[in-house]
Amino acid sequence: VNDIYRRGMLDNETTDFPVSYEDLRNAAHAAMSDEGRAYVHGGAGSDETFERNQDFSPWRIVPRMLRGVESRDLSTEIAGVDFDVPIALTPLGVQSLLHEAAEIGTAKGAAEMDVPLVLSSLSTEPMEDVAEALGDTPKMFQFYWSSDDAIAKSFLDRAEAAGYDAIVVTVDAPILGWRERLIERGYYPFLEGEGVGNYFSDPEFRAQLEQPPEEDPSAAVEHFLDIFGDSSLTWEDLQFVHDNTDLPVLIKGVLDPRDARKAIQHGADGVGVSTHGGRQVDGSISAIEALPAVAEEVDGEVPITFDSGVRRASDAFKAIGLGADAVLLGRPYAYSLAVDGADGVETYLRNFVAEFDLTMGLSGCRNVDEITGDTLRHESELH
Ligand code: FNR
């Protein structure tokens, strides 16, 4: 933080890059195509959950003073993977819609700050190229089941071979949510063949086509739509993932503590509380509202990741106080990429980490373990 203020005060260095989330979102909305805007902004239905996700205000931080916070340790560990900061980038598909640098730009920005990235199955860029751009930065691969086992297995094999540290299985999107902005436009990125680069580069996927995707893209997209998603899945099917990878397996998309228990019973190495950014079940509980009960059920047996609605470092601090071990950023980095490619992602993360470090220090916490429920009060307890 000192460096950031110093650069402004002593070196007269200012940045054009928006500092507040609202300015960033507005700048990105101006920079993006109509389709890009509709794709990122869109929650499901009336946006009720999308909006509520962003309300962390019922929880208040109660800072403690004079606790010797000169050196602060932001590191944490998630399922055997070391994080320098308790922050990572959540999987967002089809980033070519945001900026031409797409997932490679995101990976480069994340690598500059050594912030872990969870790469979407729906990456425009092949997962191997993204892994290379990330270098030594921790990386996880988000797994969407295909109804075709051979393709699903091929994805798991590729992720392991490319050096990903864990598999993140998203369980809240076996069917796409009701996304009105996209339906109104009769548009989904897959239909254009965007966002399926990771599939088009898959040897098993290619082997199932009569012609390579380069020669007949519409047939390739059609095949993708045939095999994408599987609403018949049950918790028992998680065994398929364990059988086909030696990597830790984290679950993303749990809101009910009973599902957290199911995940653990079926061998999950981590549980992710998420509403998919309010893009799936409109009217659902928000992620931050769901977190305390899930944390109580999990009770430290496995790490908890959290996403949906995090915009500022105080949001992340509150989620960690309520039981998360790491917090994933979504739309803010999508907007950063849209505004300024890899540099945008790097700048946003530099600001976010600085703000997080500052919030920790000013609240009297020297390390992430000291961010507990004891640092928070719910508004219902204030009177
Ligand atoms: C997503 N999300 C998502 N999740 C996932 O597991 N695989 C994916 O491919 C995608 N793709 C995706 C695209 C876009 C444009 C958005 C906004 C979201 C959900 C994502 O990982 C995360 O749960 C939400 O983004 C969190 O909400 P906020 O904080 O971004 O509002």
Side-chain angles (χ1 to χ4, degrees), residues 67 117 129 139 184 190-191 244 256 259 306 346:
R67 283 162 59 103
L117 170 73
D129 296 356
K139 43 189 100 45
E184 271 162 16
F190 315 138
L191 304 179
N244 286 291
D256 189 305
D259 281 343
F306 174 87
E346 181 188 341

Side-chain angles (χ1 to χ4, degrees), residues 156-179:
L156 293 171
D157 290 346
R158 285 170 68 196
E160 203 164 322
Y164 286 84
D165 301 300
I167 300 295
V168 175
V169 180
T170 299
V171 293
D172 60 8
I175 314 170
L176 284 175
W178 183 255
R179 312 213 183 134

